[in-house]
Amino acid sequence: MCEPTTLAMMAAGTNLAGSMSAVNSQNQASLNTAYNARGAAAYKQDQEMESYVETNRQLLMTSMDRALSARSATDLAMVSMFETGGGGQVMTDMLGERSSVEARNLYRDRLERTSLKIQSNRNLKGYQDEAKARIASQPTTSLNMGHIASAASSGISAYGTG
């Protein structure tokens, strides 16, 4: 039969091994959470960038289609005006209107694309922040004097040393 001091030390060692195992499990869970959070954020960021590129492409195509359509209408109006003998102030007014419509469309397109860029950047940052919050929600720890003292205390209280 072992003496009480040996039993207390064995109990403390067993408790310390249990603490080490709990610390390792907690830290592994934290690593797993961090890995999954980063993976989820990367996937969402990829999806956001795909959406950004596609929406931006659609805005550019719409803008180009609108510009081509306006030019075609202007050309048709000019041909019609020449055929009917128009010109002068009517021509100047028509070209001025064309210029102001083009400027307005360019401005609107620029606003839409800037808005898209701002929103996409906010979404990307949100995905990063979400991942950071998930990572921070799973604490990590290390074996410290508190664990050692707790293990020794429980060993002493269980078997005494006298």
Side-chain angles (χ1 to χ4, degrees), residues 55-64 109 112-113 116:
T55 304
N56 200 30
R57 185 193 67 75
Q58 288 174 356
L59 288 172
L60 286 171
M61 294 302 290
T62 300
S63 176
M64 290 170 57
D109 292 339
E112 287 178 14
R113 293 176 61 217
L116 174 65

Side-chain angles (χ1 to χ4, degrees), residues 11-157:
T14 301
N15 288 338
L16 189 57
S19 292
M20 288 173 57
S21 176
V23 165
N24 288 339
S25 293
Q26 181 180 13
N27 289 342
Q28 187 60 51
S30 180
L31 288 172
N32 292 344
T33 298
Y35 176 81
N36 291 332
R38 286 186 186 102
Y43 177 77
K44 288 179 180 180
Q45 288 170 338
D46 284 347
Q47 295 300 307
E48 182 69 32
M49 290 311 298
E50 285 179 21
S51 174
Y52 173 79
V53 168
E54 181 58 25
T55 304
N56 200 30
R57 185 193 67 75
Q58 288 174 356
L59 288 172
L60 286 171
M61 294 302 290
T62 300
S63 176
M64 290 170 57
D65 289 346
R66 196 170 37 241
L68 291 173
S69 178
R71 286 182 183 156
S72 177
T74 301
D75 292 346
L76 183 61
M78 290 174 96
V79 167
S80 177
M81 189 180 339
F82 287 132
E83 288 176 348
T84 60
Q89 188 60 41
V90 173
M91 176 75 76
T92 303
D93 290 345
M94 186 179 69
L95 292 175
E97 177 65 18
R98 174 183 169 182
S99 179
S100 67
V101 167
E102 283 179 356
R104 184 181 69 233
N105 287 341
L106 283 173
Y107 178 72
R108 189 179 75 195
D109 292 339
R110 191 176 310 122
L111 284 179
E112 287 178 14
R113 293 176 61 217
T114 299
S115 176
L116 174 65
K117 182 178 178 181
I118 289 169
Q119 187 59 49
S120 292
N121 284 335
R122 285 181 183 158
N123 290 347
L124 292 172
K125 181 163 177 10
Y127 302 143
Q128 284 179 336
D129 292 345
E130 183 181 309
K132 287 178 184 176
R134 269 183 71 189
I135 291 167
S137 73
Q138 182 71 42
T140 59
T141 191
S142 59
L143 196 62
N144 57 41
M145 287 306 292
H147 293 105
I148 295 168
S150 175
S153 163
S154 64
I156 291 170
S157 67

